[in-house]
Amino acid sequence: GAGVSQTPSNKVTEKGKYVELRCDPISGHTALYWYRQSLGQGPEFLIYFQGTGAADDSGLPNDRFFAVRPEGSVSTLKIQRTERGDSAVYLCASSLKTSGEDTQYFGPGTRLTVL
Amino acid sequence: ELKVEQNPLFLSMQEEKNYTIYCNYSTTSDRLYWYRQDPGKSLESLFVLLSNGAVKQEGRLMASLDTKARLSTLHITAAVHDLSATYFCAVAPVGGSNYKLTFGKGTLLTVNP
């Protein structure tokens, strides 16, 4: 079946602009995660959704970052007043549930470049 | 705070040779994942290890977990060029935040003919 999809694959923006990154999880997966991967690093946790609610947003770097999942499926990561330091690959993952041997399946990512 | 260290970070090996990648972590965990990432691509799940002494094998890759030593290994047997990629281990903490994976920095593996 279809995996996790993310759009756009690449986004170039100017400092100070607003961006939205979209994630479409695997059908039936209730848990959704956002991670950020900087060059040469492993992914870092940003936020976790169980259903429609953000169960843990402790990884969001500051209040310029916000994410929603209004119907419990597609999620949007929103970044206000972008800064050059926000440049990274933003990865979305989903899992069937969060307990047990749940594997998180990752999407292809959105490469964000802030000029 | 959970810390995950992988070594080596860079590994250049010849085909048909064997090698091991190590993943150490700092606090108690009972769930560890290995992922593969090809350049410009996303992460592909390889193994999930759930208990002390767990061993899983797929083709030329074998992963093991020692929760007492807080150590996982990814062993490569008779490497082939197709295994060239970056390999990440990721550790889930015990307790209520067990969804919050902490990743190592990755091991860039290059298999040369």
Side-chain angles (χ1 to χ4, degrees):
Chain A
V4 178
S5 62
Q6 293 185 245
T7 54
S9 55
N10 281 285
K11 177 70 177 179
V12 180
T13 191
E14 293 179 342
K15 180 175 177 293
K17 299 290 188 184
Y18 168 83
V19 296
E20 290 190 350
L21 312 178
R22 176 189 165 107
C23 171
D24 204 335
I26 294 171
S27 178
H29 281 195
T30 59
L32 184 145
Y33 317 81
W34 284 97
Y35 290 82
R36 179 166 73 173
Q37 186 175 23
S38 300
L39 192 62
Q41 304 292 319
E44 294 180 312
F45 171 84
L46 294 177
I47 187 169
Y48 152 58
F49 286 89
Q50 182 59 255
T52 60
D56 184 345
D57 64 358
S58 62
L60 295 178
N62 51 59
D63 61 6
R64 296 186 297 105
F65 289 75
F66 189 70
V68 296
R69 195 185 185 199
E71 297 178 358
S73 178
V74 170
S75 176
T76 305
L77 178 65
K78 307 180 181 194
I79 310 174
Q80 298 177 319
R81 305 183 304 281
T82 52
E83 300 178 357
R84 292 193 180 89
D86 298 336
S87 296
V89 176
Y90 289 81
L91 295 168
C92 176
S94 69
S95 66
L96 191 57
K97 54 189 188 308
T98 59
S99 62
E101 55 179 270
D102 253 15
T103 296
Q104 296 181 20
Y105 296 93
F106 284 80
T110 294
R111 182 175 300 277
L112 175 66
T113 304
V114 182
L115 301 176
Chain B
E1 181 189 350
L2 175 57
K3 294 188 188 300
V4 179
E5 286 191 5
Q6 282 182 242
N7 69 83
L9 297 183
F10 300 93
L11 177 54
S12 180
M13 51 190 300
Q14 290 183 314
E15 285 188 325
E16 299 303 316
K17 298 293 187 185
N18 304 331
Y19 211 85
T20 301
I21 299 170
Y22 298 88
C23 174
N24 291 90
Y25 53 96
S26 61
T27 63
T28 302
S29 173
D30 57 5
R31 192 151 47 101
L32 188 142
Y33 300 85
W34 284 96
Y35 285 89
R36 167 183 172 145
Q37 187 175 40
D38 291 291
K41 306 292 185 183
S42 191
L43 287 86
E44 173 192 353
S45 174
L46 295 174
F47 302 108
V48 55
L49 303 168
L50 297 176
S51 60
N52 188 41
V55 176
K56 290 198 174 178
Q57 182 163 4
E58 180 73 33
R60 300 172 188 271
L61 300 177
M62 183 174 71
S64 66
L65 178 62
D66 181 343
T67 58
K68 293 180 182 177
R70 297 178 184 167
L71 170 69
S72 179
T73 61
L74 181 65
H75 187 72
I76 303 151
T77 302
V80 292
H81 179 69
D82 285 354
L83 290 180
S84 297
T86 299
Y87 293 85
F88 291 95
C89 64
V91 180
V94 294
S97 299
N98 60 359
Y99 48 81
K100 191 185 293 187
L101 299 184
T102 298
F103 284 79
K105 288 189 174 183
T107 297
L108 177 58
L109 170 66
T110 304
V111 181
N112 303 303

